[in-house]
Amino acid sequence: MTLAKRIIPCLDVDAGRVVKGVNFVGIRDAGDPVEIAKRYNQQGADEITFLDITASHEDRDTTVEMVERIAGEVFIPLTVGGGIRRCEDIRTMLNAGADKVSINTAAVTNPDFVREAAERFGSQCIVVAIDAKKVSADGEPSRWEIFTHGGRRPTGLDAVDWARKMVEYGAGELLLTSMDRDGTKVGFDLGVTRAISDAVEVPVIASGGVGNLDHLVAGVKEGGADAVLAASIFHFGEYTIPDAKRYMAEQGIEMRL
Amino acid sequence: MTIAVIDYGMGNLHSVAKALEHVTHENVMVTRDPRSIRGASRLVLPGQGAIRDCMGELQRTELEGLVKDLLEEQAKPLLGICVGQQMLFDRSEENGGVDCLSFLPGKVRRFGHKLTTPDGERLKVPHMGWNRVTQHHQHPLWNGIEDGARFYFVHSYYVEAERDGDIFGTTEYAGIDAHVVTGRGTVFAVQFHPEKSARDGLQLLENFVNWAP
């Protein structure tokens, strides 16, 4: 196997600015998305994902301009998620230079949107984001459920069944976030990562909970993930992308170095 | 000097155009106008999604005949990308079988279903991500690119060319050496996305822009 596992830094964007802080040594204005994207590209990121958290509709135009500026300078795959609800939103982002869009809440409220989007734009650019939380008690067989609204609203949908359904509807890739791990730095929920990786034929990106490089290794080796997504460990300079790649390669994982 | 990215309605052409603009000062045009396509000095044939739709749109926009003529005339360099590579061959087994442009002999096959690695891991289709390309014959488009360099792929079907002389690069996936780079004369075609393959991808596009076959 010479196909490399991927490392994907994820950036939160509000009205065309990267928020929550990204601190690279030597960059004073860490909120400039083009500078940050270029820096991650130079470091060897395999893709970059932007999560648009812009609240108002008008400000979303600024995000579109941001994608345009980045796509003119950074030539690796770019994914944009957050607020993708209609085919028009997808067209706007692809025209701006995004390569993939990630659909989250809209997939839950209207699964046919995923089907329509895949038929119209091709599965290769449709990522479905799955926010899962463990709902089984200790000692019970593990069960995970889909949550929306940042993990606050349960849907009653079984995460593994939902993953299968989304692939059947045309998702080309799944971005799996374990909501109970997000921000905890204790590592991915490897159980749900493994269950979904084994259940579907398309690649799975593991997300939520990364605190160190061993977590990335476990996501691939134990979770079966094809790619790992992380935010804070890279943004605050705890680890660089080359650090992560070298470490994963040392553990026997095929990486693009 | 104009590079025309042929816009028959399939695929994300903006990325290709932007990457070309990054490596050349020549005019880059995304167009479906037959006169502009014929008048261009270089052509890019992209393609994304299902091959039935790609061939269908090429026919619907009445560009199939023109593209076939341009391939046969061998008058200007043409770069095929992704499904734009696959369409150059005789036939694809996608969508229950689709006839293609038959510029090169060979067919387009699926990687398979329910594949696993030797150690029992599930092997994903599409083949997505950065994989190594082994250079098979020398070619001006390989200038400055190391043998075994990684490029970004997204595809479930791959080319199986009939003639060794038409193969310029291979990539191993699912135990198959896919013919991911093919060409003949003024035509060069890649399964991967050079416009998304960082430095080596841009180098390949620059080589294409400077290519004088």
Side-chain angles (χ1 to χ4, degrees), chain A:
Chain A
M1 269 292 279
T2 54
L3 177 67
K5 300 293 181 183
R6 290 168 281 153
I7 292 187
I8 308 173
C10 177
L11 302 162
D12 285 356
V13 174
D14 187 0
R17 299 285 295 172
V18 172
V19 294
K20 275 202 204 164
V22 177
N23 298 316
F24 289 117
V25 178
I27 294 189
R28 191 174 302 164
D29 181 6
D32 179 18
V34 178
E35 283 306 314
I36 293 167
K38 278 165 90 170
R39 190 58 66 102
Y40 277 133
N41 178 38
Q42 280 160 12
Q43 285 195 0
D46 296 308
E47 298 185 20
I48 302 179
T49 290
F50 298 92
L51 184 61
D52 189 358
I53 56 170
T54 308
S56 81
H57 191 70
E58 299 78 61
D59 286 343
R60 296 187 68 86
D61 292 343
T62 326
T63 307
V64 174
E65 281 166 34
M66 176 204 83
V67 174
E68 265 171 13
R69 281 166 57 222
I70 294 169
E73 295 200 55
V74 177
F75 300 97
I76 58 174
L78 305 175
T79 302
V80 181
I84 303 288
R85 293 189 184 87
R86 301 163 303 168
C87 279
E88 201 185 315
D89 301 328
I90 300 176
R91 184 175 303 283
T92 302
M93 285 305 173
L94 296 182
N95 283 349
D99 301 286
K100 312 180 201 179
V101 293
S102 161
I103 304 173
N104 191 344
T105 308
V108 177
T109 52
N110 177 19
D112 282 327
F113 172 51
V114 173
R115 204 196 291 269
E116 193 189 340
E119 274 172 15
R120 193 114 144 233
F121 303 102
S123 290
Q124 81 287 338
C125 63
I126 305 300
V127 181
V128 170
I130 294 182
D131 291 349
K133 226 186 230 188
K134 193 168 189 174
V135 290
S136 50
D138 286 343
E140 278 177 12
S142 294
R143 214 179 81 78
W144 298 270
E145 212 174 275
I146 300 298
F147 280 70
T148 59
H149 298 81
R152 294 189 304 276
R153 195 173 296 180
T155 63
L157 296 164
D158 178 80
V160 178
D161 290 343
W162 178 248
R164 281 202 194 94
K165 179 170 170 175
M166 286 296 96
V167 172
E168 187 193 311
Y169 275 43
E173 198 174 19
L174 300 176
L175 167 54
L176 169 66
T177 304
S178 51
M179 296 309 289
D180 32 359
R181 296 298 178 95
D182 210 21
T184 62
K185 300 200 152 225
V186 298
F188 297 120
D189 182 332
L190 298 171
V192 70
T193 308
R194 173 52 76 182
I196 289 180
S197 288
D198 286 347
V200 299
E201 196 173 40
V202 304
V204 172
I205 306 165
S207 153
V210 175
N212 62 47
L213 301 184
D214 284 315
H215 294 153
L216 300 178
V217 171
V220 170
K221 284 196 162 178
E222 293 167 51
D226 301 280
V228 287
L229 180 140
S232 58
I233 65 161
F234 297 129
H235 296 343
F236 302 111
E238 284 168 67
Y239 303 100
T240 65
I241 289 182
D243 290 340
K245 287 192 160 185
R246 271 194 301 269
Y247 187 74
M248 291 171 81
E250 280 164 20
Q251 308 299 310
I253 298 171
E254 185 79 19
M255 301 300 295
R256 165 181 167 251
L257 296 169

Side-chain angles (χ1 to χ4, degrees), chain B residues 12-116:
Chain B
N12 184 1
L13 311 176
H14 297 266
S15 298
V16 184
K18 280 185 166 175
L20 285 165
E21 281 164 0
H22 194 77
V23 299
T24 180
H25 294 298
E26 286 181 29
N27 183 29
V28 178
M29 181 194 276
V30 175
T31 181
R32 62 176 61 185
D33 171 44
R35 285 226 316 247
S36 303
I37 293 170
R38 194 162 260 300
S41 46
R42 287 170 205 281
L43 303 167
V44 176
L45 180 66
Q48 248 175 22
I51 200 159
R52 180 187 54 206
D53 297 339
C54 287
M55 284 304 299
E57 285 302 294
L58 201 59
Q59 283 147 8
R60 198 182 60 79
T61 53
E62 296 178 0
L63 291 173
E64 189 190 14
L66 175 62
V67 169
K68 276 186 164 168
D69 288 349
L70 289 164
L71 290 166
E72 295 302 331
E73 284 166 23
Q74 293 277 299
K76 51 187 92 178
L78 181 144
L79 177 66
I81 298 176
C82 197
V83 181
Q85 181 212 16
Q86 298 178 0
M87 290 197 297
L88 300 178
F89 289 82
D90 292 319
R91 195 170 162 77
S92 171
E93 63 181 35
E94 189 177 0
N95 305 127
V98 174
D99 286 329
C100 300
L101 297 168
S102 288
F103 170 66
L104 297 173
K107 51 184 180 286
V108 182
R109 308 188 56 183
R110 193 181 154 94
F111 277 116
H113 293 275
K114 304 228 160 130
L115 301 168
T116 50

